[in-house]
Amino acid sequence: EDEVTPSSPSIITTLAITTLSLQPPIWMGFMCLQKWRALYLSLSVAILILSAVLSLDLMPHQYRTAALTGLVVVGLVPATHWAVAMPESVALHLGWRLLLMFACYGGGVFFFVTYFPERAMPQGHITDIWFNSHTIWHIFVCAAAVSLWINCEVMRDWYRDGKTMNSC
């Protein structure tokens, strides 16, 4: 049975959004830790390059799933560092929003990798048009983007109001 995979433009767009969504929280969250900020921003650019390699099928297909999962997991490194480096009040206030964003990305990867629900349905079912794994994947990515937007708004307000997030 042939697997239907999303087109390269669809993959590169989604992976670019995922990768670039790491940059605003890194920029704001590591404002006082310049070396770490530079390292993590560079890492996110390297991830974007890997995303391009994945989307253009320059990597063998058997490594694609592991690499896509790795893209989400790699974002947890600066997030964990940020949660440890920030004062507890800031980490508790913003951390759950950050976890929500990663949960949305992880949920999207789950549907992308497992091809659920169409694998569980007979061919010709409603998932051929509606609510297939590709559509659900995009819903999760959009939810993560909304979560990112809200995170950036809250971080901006905290910075502007002189809260303790970036008191160097």
Side-chain angles (χ1 to χ4, degrees):
E1 136 187 358
D2 291 335
E3 290 185 7
V4 177
T5 57
S7 65
S8 289
S10 174
I11 292 172
I12 191 64
T13 301
T14 303
L15 291 174
I17 290 169
T18 303
T19 303
L20 295 172
S21 71
L22 298 173
Q23 293 187 353
I26 289 170
W27 184 264
M28 292 294 291
F30 290 95
M31 191 168 287
C32 297
L33 303 169
Q34 297 289 320
K35 290 179 184 176
W36 286 106
R37 179 166 71 173
L39 174 71
Y40 290 140
L41 289 173
S42 299
L43 180 64
S44 69
V45 171
I47 293 168
L48 184 58
I49 292 168
L50 176 62
S51 300
V53 168
L54 288 173
S55 68
L56 299 174
D57 290 328
L58 299 174
M59 179 181 281
H61 190 71
Q62 70 255 26
Y63 301 118
R64 187 181 223 172
T65 300
L68 290 172
T69 304
L71 292 175
V72 174
V73 172
V74 165
L76 292 172
V77 173
T80 303
H81 181 185
W82 174 85
V84 170
M86 288 298 108
E88 186 178 345
S89 62
V90 175
L92 289 175
H93 186 73
L94 295 173
W96 70 270
R97 291 180 174 92
L98 197 58
L99 288 175
L100 178 63
M101 181 183 80
F102 281 110
C104 289
Y105 283 136
V109 167
F110 169 79
F111 285 99
F112 178 83
V113 169
T114 63
Y115 293 98
F116 183 83
E118 56 265 31
R119 284 215 190 250
M121 304 286 181
Q123 195 171 23
H125 197 268
I126 192 166
T127 58
D128 288 347
I129 299 172
W130 301 99
F131 305 113
N132 55 48
S133 60
H134 188 105
T135 304
I136 296 169
W137 175 46
H138 281 289
I139 290 169
F140 272 97
V141 169
C142 288
V146 169
S147 177
L148 169 70
W149 179 268
I150 293 168
N151 284 342
C152 289
E153 292 285 318
V154 170
M155 289 172 77
R156 183 207 61 210
D157 291 346
W158 275 50
Y159 178 74
R160 185 179 53 206
D161 296 343
K163 302 248 176 143
T164 59
M165 187 173 77
N166 289 306
S167 56
C168 301

